[in-house]
Amino acid sequence: MKKTAQKMVVANWKMHGNLKQNQTLLEAYIRTLDNLPHTQVVVCAPYPYLAQLQSLLADTDIAWGAQNIAKMERGAYTGEVSAEMLRDFGSTHVIIGHSERSTAYCESDENIAQKFMVAKKHGLTPILCVGETLIEREAGMQENVVAKQLDTIIRMYGAQVFADAVISYEPIWAIGTGLAATPAQATEMHKFIHDKIAVLDEAAAKRLKILYGGSVNPQNALQLMVVKNCDGGLIGRCSLNAQEFEQICMAAERVSQSDE
Ligand code: 13P
C-alpha cells in the first residue's frame, strides 16, 4: 500500500471471474499497474477469490478487498462474512452500500452505516457508495438524496469517521449504462460531498477521498479524473478488460502527476 498516492482507482469485479480468468487479468494488472507512483490501485473481488488475490498481489503495490461485509463482528449469521475474515486474507478495502446490493437486498442507510463502522473498527478502508436514481435527478433531488445517505453515518458516528475513508459518487443511472455523469454533474456533486463533510470536520474532509463511479471508460476517464475534488474512480465493466482498466489507471496517474 502506498502512503503518498493522490488518486485511487478501484476495480469492482462484481460477480464476474473464475480462477483462470482472474489469474490472467491479475497478471496483466501487475505487468502494467504495479508501482504507479501516484495512484493506488485496488481490486475488489468476490469473496472466494480473496485467497487468490492475496497470493498473487502480496508482493505488489496493488491492494485488494471485497464488495460487502457483515455489519456484525461474528456469531451465528449464516452466509455472512466478517471484517476480520477479510483482514485474514490481507484485504485493506471494502465496498459498502453499492446500489446493486442496497436495492436488491433492501439495505437500509442504518445497515450501511453499521457496515461502514465495522470496517473502520477492523482497519479496513470503507468505500461508501452514494448516488441518486434517474427519477431523483430529473426531480433535482440528487443532493438531498446523497445528503440523506451521508447524514445517517454522521448522525450515528460523527463526521470525523470520514477521515481516511472513501466515498464513491455513483449515480445509479450511470452504472452499467454507458452513460457517465458529465464532468459538470460530477464537479457539482463532488463539491457538494466535500463541502458537506468539510463544514463539519475540515481535517476529516482533507483525509477523505471522493471517487466517481458509473460507466467510466478509457474515453471519458481523463475528463472525469480532472474534476475538482475527484480523487479517482470505481470501475465496473472496464475493470474486467486489462487494457481498458490500464488506460483508466494511466489517466488517473497522469492527472495526479500533474497535480504535484
Ligand atoms: P460500470 O463501470 O460497469 O458502470 O459500474 C460502475 C460500478 O458500479 C462500480 O462500482
Side-chain angles (χ1 to χ4, degrees):
M1 281 284 297
K2 278 189 244 348
K3 292 274 176 281
T4 55
Q6 292 105 344
K7 293 274 194 239
M8 173 182 283
V9 182
V10 183
N12 177 6
W13 284 359
K14 307 192 179 184
M15 199 173 72
H16 293 289
N18 57 46
L19 286 171
K20 195 159 176 278
Q21 280 172 8
N22 298 349
Q23 172 146 359
T24 308
L25 190 54
L26 289 168
E27 281 169 358
Y29 280 11
I30 294 166
R31 267 196 304 278
T32 52
L33 301 174
D34 188 15
N35 288 318
L36 290 185
H38 307 92
T39 305
Q40 177 65 62
V41 177
V42 183
V43 185
C44 290
Y47 295 135
Y49 301 116
L50 289 178
Q52 185 185 25
L53 297 183
Q54 187 175 35
S55 79
L56 288 175
L57 298 178
D59 296 326
T60 75
D61 232 348
I62 301 172
W64 64 94
Q67 301 167 11
N68 181 40
I69 46 167
K71 65 178 179 181
M72 302 74 68
E73 297 196 40
R74 68 185 65 79
Y77 302 107
T78 304
E80 294 288 345
V81 174
S82 72
E84 276 177 351
M85 293 170 185
L86 298 188
R87 287 301 307 260
D88 238 1
F89 287 90
S91 303
T92 49
H93 292 71
V94 60
I95 296 172
I96 308 268
H98 194 286
S99 60
E100 285 160 6
R101 291 195 55 79
S102 51
T103 319
Y105 306 106
C106 304
E107 276 197 286
S108 65
D109 289 345
E110 283 75 15
N111 266 6
I112 291 168
Q114 284 171 293
K115 291 179 176 190
F116 182 96
M117 268 324 280
V118 91
K120 286 215 82 168
K121 182 174 172 195
H122 291 278
L124 292 162
T125 301
I127 302 169
L128 173 75
C129 300
V130 296
E132 79 287 354
T133 62
L134 186 58
I135 290 172
E136 289 161 343
R137 176 157 283 268
E138 283 173 350
M141 297 290 292
Q142 62 275 14
E143 291 186 357
N144 307 53
V145 171
V146 170
K148 180 176 165 287
Q149 292 166 337
L150 298 177
D151 278 337
T152 308
I153 294 184
I154 295 167
R155 177 171 47 77
M156 287 170 70
Y157 306 111
Q160 76 280 0
V161 297
F162 287 105
D164 302 321
V166 179
I167 295 174
S168 185
Y169 172 49
E170 298 217 318
I172 294 170
W173 47 269
I175 297 175
T177 58
L179 183 73
T182 63
Q185 289 169 323
T187 302
E188 211 168 53
M189 185 58 85
H190 280 239
K191 175 176 167 30
F192 175 75
I193 294 170
H194 172 269
D195 292 356
K196 183 169 173 61
I197 306 301
V199 289
L200 297 169
D201 191 325
E202 213 177 327
K206 277 206 180 96
R207 289 165 54 186
L208 164 72
K209 283 200 187 309
I210 307 174
L211 311 184
Y212 169 79
S215 294
V216 179
N217 60 41
Q219 289 70 45
N220 63 22
L222 194 61
Q223 64 187 34
L224 289 163
M225 297 297 161
V226 295
V227 160
K228 186 151 190 270
N229 296 308
C230 179
D231 299 300
L234 180 51
I235 319 300
R237 189 184 54 82
C238 288
S239 70
L240 299 170
N241 178 309
Q243 229 175 1
E244 290 182 336
F245 189 60
E246 178 198 337
Q247 286 167 8
I248 294 168
C249 293
M250 293 320 262
E253 177 68 9
R254 221 174 316 150
V255 175
S256 47
Q257 206 168 6
S258 67
D259 282 351
E260 256 195 346

